[in-house]
Amino acid sequence: SRATFGATDDRGQAQQRPLRSLPNGIMDKYRKVMKPKEEIPKSDEEIRVTAAGSVSAYVSRAATVFNELKKPYVIVQATGNALTKAVTAAEVIKRRFKGLHQITELKTVEIVDEYEPMEEGLDKVTDTRNVSVIEIRLSKEELDSSNKGYQPPLDESLVKEFDPEELARGRGRGGGTGKGRGKGKGRGRGSTKGKGHGKGKGKSSEGAKGKGSGKSAGKSG
């Protein structure tokens, strides 16, 4: 039989029902139960990608895992709207480190949201949604080539080895204050013009020379 709003099952638990099936206006009587965020421990090999994250930062992290921590693989992970950026990060990493085997796994996880009533006489309502998750393993060691998500290493001609100094230079571009063009042009009396950083030398139309700090004073002959 079809569940009715506010009904409970034989164990007295609120029946699960999609929110879109609730009567119009009824959600005004409910509020979402805020659950404490679960801290999931992360291994050294994991690179968790977010939609707002920087691809260059993820590449740097991969360099740390491979070169400093001496790990043979990294796992690029993302959920929801960050999936595209995870794929981009993995492609860049493959083009910075030679010989990386790849296995990509795409799955979904079930997330249950709970809503509690703000009025008496109503039961709790739960809503279930599915969120996509991607895991991309990039390994210096061989992986199972029979796996449907397997990709062999790129041709080495397509790989430009990771250079931390180049990455640092890239970050520094545009970060300076720029180059100045002196502190102004000096201008002497008559048609005298001065050049230089603070001090200018000017020549008048009659061949006189003038010196000044910022402005050149020309002397007529």
Side-chain angles (χ1 to χ4, degrees):
S1 62
R2 185 176 178 179
T4 58
F5 175 69
T8 57
D9 59 19
D10 294 337
R11 294 172 296 174
Q13 298 295 320
Q15 290 188 353
Q16 186 169 302
R17 185 176 179 183
L19 293 182
R20 60 180 177 273
S21 68
L22 297 179
N24 290 335
I26 201 68
M27 281 308 299
D28 293 340
K29 300 178 181 180
Y30 280 82
R31 63 186 172 198
K32 187 175 181 179
V33 178
M34 303 306 294
K35 300 177 182 178
K37 190 173 181 179
E38 184 180 357
E39 291 294 333
I40 302 175
K42 183 174 72 170
S43 67
D44 290 337
E45 295 88 353
E46 290 180 36
I47 300 176
R48 293 181 183 173
V49 174
T50 64
S54 165
V55 171
S56 62
Y58 300 135
V59 176
S60 294
R61 177 58 188 171
T64 299
V65 174
F66 286 136
N67 300 335
E68 296 180 20
L69 301 180
K70 305 299 182 184
K71 301 290 185 179
Y73 67 91
V74 296
I75 299 176
V76 181
Q77 295 180 323
T79 62
N81 59 357
L83 264 63
T84 301
K85 180 160 287 187
V87 172
T88 300
E91 289 300 317
V92 175
I93 292 171
K94 286 164 59 179
R95 285 162 173 78
R96 292 294 178 268
F97 303 92
K98 292 181 180 180
L100 292 183
H101 299 261
Q102 174 179 339
I103 285 184
T104 302
E105 182 181 2
L106 187 62
K107 55 188 177 182
T108 59
V109 295
E110 189 177 87
I111 297 178
V112 179
D113 294 321
E114 191 174 280
Y115 295 82
E116 60 183 8
M118 294 185 289
E119 295 182 4
E120 292 185 3
L122 297 175
D123 293 313
K124 286 184 178 181
V125 175
T126 57
D127 183 53
T128 301
R129 54 192 173 94
N130 292 322
V131 176
S132 297
V133 178
I134 194 169
E135 288 189 359
I136 305 172
R137 179 183 290 259
L138 301 173
S139 175
K140 292 183 176 183
E141 299 175 347
E142 291 188 9
L143 298 175
D144 182 8
S145 59
S146 65
N147 188 298
K148 63 180 180 180
Y150 175 79
Q151 292 182 34
L154 294 176
D155 188 288
E156 289 192 358
S157 64
L158 300 175
V159 179
K160 181 181 179 182
E161 287 282 14
F162 177 78
D163 182 359
E165 292 184 1
E166 180 181 340
L167 187 63
R169 286 196 299 270
R171 287 178 179 173
R173 284 175 193 159
T177 55
K179 294 182 179 180
R181 292 188 177 180
K183 298 182 180 179
K185 291 183 178 180
R187 189 172 286 179
R189 293 192 183 102
S191 59
T192 304
K193 293 183 179 180
K195 295 181 180 179
H197 298 264
K199 290 185 178 182
K201 292 182 180 180
K203 290 184 179 181
S204 69
S205 59
E206 298 179 4
K209 294 183 179 181
K211 294 183 179 181
S213 178
K215 291 185 177 181
S216 300
K219 295 180 182 180
S220 62

